Amino acid sequence: MTAEYELFALRYATREARRGEHFIGGDPHDGPMPMDYFVWVARNADRAVVIDIGFTAESGGKRGRRLERCPIDSLALLGVDPATVQDVILTHMHYDHVGNFDKFPVARFHLQEPEMHFAVGRYMRHRQLAKSFEPDDVCGMVRLNFDGRVVYHNGAAEVVDGIGVVPTGGHSAGLQFVTVNTRRGVVVLASDVTHFYENMESYRPFTVALHVGDMLEAFDTLRAHAASAELIVPGHDPLVMRRYPPPSPELDGIVVRLDVPPAQ
């Protein structure tokens, strides 16, 4: 029997933004469209797997992002100790997804191998692409690889029983999304395959792009791995916090459960 998990989104930061910033070509009805930042936790009696690990106060601050809580310290709200986490999935190497790797002393980090090639390759001489990466994060992952703690995948793979990764590229060369088996079915954590529900629903990709064609086709790949669109969770949409319930009243506005259906 495939393992089943409780699944949580933990909101740790936000920024003010406008609609025109989130769609290639802008938006004819420009207006406020804030962006939230999340880490995700899949948990059962056997293990806790952390999916993406957020940005640091330093890297977020210089980009004008408002850090509301340390995402890794906040794992304690879910009873997760980063010192004991065995597996961390990195959907890609952008600063807001890999910034706290040093707070996981024993974990293996799961990454698509093309993402590392991209992050250390020739395209990083272009500011438009390099601005989404932190050199210290990239160097840190290189060092962890020398320590045998990076697990490279080249294509779709099962990370642990009930949790898999599927590469798409587009936003970044080795971007991958995550599938998690839960009591309501397989939930697809899109991460930056679709930043907002609206990117996927309107087939208008986000503005940070390596390959626009791959970004568009990735929306179809998300749908192909979900029994319904309701099971797809975008990477940065504040609507996630309004559609799903908190695990307890005191975590309202901080954590929501994704292993239960959204409110209708």
Side-chain angles (χ1 to χ4, degrees):
M1 177 179 289
T2 303
E4 189 174 280
Y5 296 86
E6 297 176 321
L7 183 60
F8 305 90
L10 192 158
R11 176 182 176 273
Y12 70 92
T14 189
R15 76 177 177 99
E16 298 302 320
R18 299 189 67 80
R19 292 185 58 82
E21 298 177 68
H22 302 320
F23 303 99
I24 289 177
D27 188 90
H29 306 292
D30 198 16
M33 192 175 183
M35 174 181 282
D36 280 351
Y37 294 81
F38 298 95
V39 298
W40 299 275
V41 175
R43 182 185 72 184
N44 64 17
D46 297 322
R47 64 176 63 89
V49 176
V50 179
I51 299 139
D52 286 343
I53 49 179
F55 60 70
T56 65
E58 180 182 3
S59 65
K62 69 184 183 182
R63 292 173 170 86
R65 283 33 171 178
R66 188 171 77 238
L67 185 68
E68 297 189 345
R69 58 193 61 85
C70 171
I72 310 310
D73 292 347
S74 298
L75 294 176
L77 298 172
L78 295 171
V80 174
D81 180 359
T84 65
V85 169
Q86 297 293 313
D87 293 283
V88 172
I89 298 172
L90 301 176
T91 61
H92 57 307
M93 291 276 286
H94 285 178
Y95 80 97
D96 54 325
H97 296 261
V98 68
N100 294 289
F101 63 88
D102 56 318
K103 296 185 177 182
F104 294 86
V106 301
R108 298 176 292 265
F109 294 86
H110 296 264
L111 186 69
Q112 289 289 325
E113 187 169 11
E115 182 70 1
M116 181 61 83
H117 294 173
F118 179 48
V120 300
R122 63 193 180 103
Y123 289 123
M124 290 301 102
R125 74 182 189 273
H126 299 297
R127 178 60 187 161
Q128 181 63 28
L129 296 173
K131 67 181 182 181
S132 296
F133 295 84
E134 279 291 318
D136 287 345
D137 294 341
V138 175
C139 291
M141 294 307 298
V142 170
R143 292 187 181 97
L144 286 170
N145 186 44
F146 273 81
D147 291 338
R149 292 178 53 203
V150 179
V151 181
Y152 286 117
H153 301 282
N154 283 280
E158 184 177 64
V159 173
V160 297
D161 185 26
I163 301 178
V165 293
V166 180
T168 65
H171 175 65
S172 190
L175 176 65
Q176 59 185 354
F177 64 83
V178 181
T179 60
V180 182
N181 189 48
T182 76
R183 61 180 175 172
R184 75 175 180 116
V186 175
V187 174
V188 175
L189 295 177
S191 184
D192 289 4
V193 179
T194 186
H195 285 63
F196 296 86
Y197 288 104
E198 193 173 346
N199 291 119
M200 180 182 68
E201 290 168 354
S202 65
Y203 278 83
R204 289 184 296 158
F206 191 71
T207 48
V208 178
L210 175 64
H211 192 297
V212 175
D214 285 348
M215 293 179 80
L216 288 164
E217 294 194 347
F219 298 150
D220 294 330
T221 307
L222 286 176
R223 294 178 189 276
H225 284 78
S228 72
E230 168 180 287
L231 289 163
I232 300 172
V233 180
H236 289 275
D237 200 324
L239 286 175
V240 170
M241 297 302 293
R242 299 199 286 274
R243 291 188 178 183
Y244 290 92
S248 60
E250 61 269 21
L251 293 180
D252 189 23
I254 301 173
V255 180
V256 292
R257 293 192 68 152
L258 304 175
D259 56 322
V260 298
Q264 299 300 319

